[in-house]
Amino acid sequence: MKRIVIFILVVLVTLGIAGYTTPSLVNNIKLGLDLKGGFEILYVAEPIEAGKQVTQDALKETARSLEKRADSLGVAEPEVTTEGTNRIRVRLADVKNEEEVRKSMKEPAELTFRGPDGTKEMIGSDFVEGAAKVGFDQSNRAQINIKVKDAEKFKKVTEKLVGKPLAIYLDERQLSAPIVQSVLSDGNATISGNYTYEEAKELADTINLGALPLKLTEKYTQVVGASLGQLSLHQTVEAGLIGAILILIFMVAFYRLPGLVAAFTLITYIWLLLGAFWLMKATLTLPGIAAFVLGIGMAVDANIITYERIKEEIRSGKSLLSSLKSGSKHSFRTIMDANITNLISAAVLYYVGNGAIRGFALTTIMSIILSILTNVFFSRLLIHLLIKSNKFNKPSLYGVKEAEIRGL
């Protein structure tokens, strides 16, 4: 009786928590542009100045600049990633002013140094490429060491602005406004202030970016309307729910009591997977939902392999508890072989893929891990509680007719 009470408590508490938290989890999961609407652009980057090279550092800094620019335009949670040697992919979901955003995004980032009256005294290309470095003063405070190409030009600027600020701007956003302390004639300068190391590193990277401006050309564009995205989400979720319900009905009809346990562990698995998405702040896309539904199928497959093996053990004349132990033991290797193979494949996809492919791979990886925890270990624990209670000892409750048992 004690084991029955434990079983009922586990089921009720789990379902209660899942039912209470699921609506909040679903509402707080980030949706990709294919579900929420928006657009995706693949840029090809090339240097503005002839003879220059597109380095990985310049590409990454340009991507970071694009992300900040999208933020300043009011785009929530932009996704900007680099690809290969000269490509940047930008995904912007739920964009209202598409044309304005697209026009602003592809313009080269302009780094300028301006006087108090707003005059542009110097631009990013005036600085030596990659020369901006983070250092430390005598008080161990972070500072930025820079070097210009034209020392005479820099000398004239510092003569003009001694005791005045020379503000640093990226586009129209002020990054810093250091005061010119003295005339600098050798082309070297130090930007100091109350910077943390991270702030100094970011400013140095931005200056290096300004010294290597890149021109962006749209190579590929995909636009998804908000209504189309919502329709895709609705249809996909509806198809997934119908499929899940049919699977649960099949499991209960074919495997009886273990089928009920499988139905419960599948619900637990879906709830945990939603929770994992929320905790990781992952973005859910159509390929991600496809992997989600595929994961349900893989979880069911694990249950079927286990239960079929248990039924075979029962038919051989073993007791229910012995059948559970033996069936679980022999099915475990088959399940793990299949899941490890899928796990390796998903890991490779995540490593070599990008964008939607990575989303599919990440969802698959999480699905496999949670499927093993819920539909192998958790399911086995629950069935063990039922068998040990001595209240469910009829073979028919496990989908086996007494006439099929060889020992009888």
Side-chain angles (χ1 to χ4, degrees), residues 3-52:
R3 290 181 175 86
I4 293 293
V5 172
I6 294 174
F7 176 87
I8 294 173
L9 283 176
V10 169
V11 172
L12 290 179
V13 170
T14 304
L15 289 178
I17 295 174
Y20 179 76
T21 58
T22 296
S24 176
L25 290 175
V26 171
N27 291 330
N28 288 308
I29 289 177
K30 293 190 298 182
L31 300 178
L33 65 89
D34 53 358
L35 297 175
K36 196 174 183 179
F39 63 92
E40 174 182 357
I41 305 173
L42 179 63
Y43 291 111
V44 175
E46 55 185 346
I48 292 178
E49 298 181 29
K52 302 292 184 180

Side-chain angles (χ1 to χ4, degrees), residues 86-325:
N86 66 338
R87 297 190 175 194
I88 299 175
R89 189 178 297 272
V90 179
R91 294 183 179 86
L92 306 175
D94 198 22
V95 176
K96 303 295 189 297
N97 50 342
E98 179 191 328
E99 286 303 321
E100 179 184 341
V101 171
R102 287 180 64 181
K103 180 181 177 183
S104 300
M105 290 291 289
K106 67 180 180 181
E107 293 176 354
E110 183 185 31
L111 182 73
T112 55
F113 285 65
R114 306 181 187 182
D117 59 354
T119 303
K120 296 179 181 179
E121 303 291 347
M122 304 190 75
I123 60 175
S125 57
D126 289 328
F127 293 83
V128 175
E129 300 167 5
K133 305 289 184 182
V134 178
F136 295 91
D137 61 16
Q138 295 179 345
S139 302
N140 205 35
R141 291 177 298 188
Q143 62 183 22
I144 302 97
N145 302 318
I146 59 175
K147 186 174 183 179
V148 299
K149 297 176 182 177
D150 189 340
E152 187 61 30
K153 178 181 178 179
F154 193 45
K155 178 182 177 182
K156 291 179 180 178
V157 171
T158 55
E159 283 178 345
K160 175 183 174 182
L161 298 176
V162 170
K164 299 177 182 178
L166 182 60
I168 306 171
Y169 281 80
L170 184 62
D171 295 329
E172 294 304 316
R173 182 168 63 92
Q174 181 176 302
L175 304 179
S176 182
I179 304 297
V180 179
Q181 303 289 346
S182 61
V183 177
L184 302 171
S185 58
D186 62 354
N188 295 305
T190 299
I191 301 173
S192 58
N194 294 320
Y195 299 113
T196 63
Y197 177 81
E198 290 75 18
E199 291 170 340
K201 178 70 166 59
E202 183 177 357
L203 184 55
D205 290 342
T206 303
I207 293 172
N208 286 331
L209 167 66
L212 276 172
L214 299 178
K215 181 174 69 174
L216 300 177
T217 304
E218 290 186 10
K219 183 74 174 178
Y220 160 84
T221 304
Q222 177 189 11
V223 179
V224 179
S227 59
L228 180 60
Q230 288 299 316
L231 179 62
S232 298
L233 176 61
H234 174 75
Q235 291 176 337
T236 306
V237 172
E238 186 178 276
L241 285 175
I242 293 173
I245 292 171
L246 291 176
I247 287 171
L248 296 182
I249 292 173
F250 165 79
M251 293 297 292
V252 174
F254 202 77
Y255 294 102
R256 309 294 173 83
L257 192 61
L260 280 173
V261 173
F264 169 68
T265 55
L266 280 173
I267 293 171
T268 305
Y269 156 80
I270 293 171
W271 170 59
L272 290 175
L273 192 54
L274 289 173
F277 262 95
W278 177 73
L279 286 173
M280 295 177 64
K281 294 181 171 56
T283 300
L284 186 62
T285 61
L286 277 175
I289 293 180
F292 198 114
V293 176
L294 179 63
I296 295 176
M298 292 164 60
V300 171
D301 187 50
N303 281 305
I304 290 175
I305 292 172
T306 301
Y307 296 158
E308 282 295 335
R309 188 67 194 191
I310 291 173
K311 287 170 68 174
E312 287 297 322
E313 298 294 338
I314 294 174
R315 291 189 183 103
S316 70
K318 292 183 179 179
S319 68
L320 289 176
L321 188 58
S322 295
S323 297
L324 172 63
K325 291 180 179 178

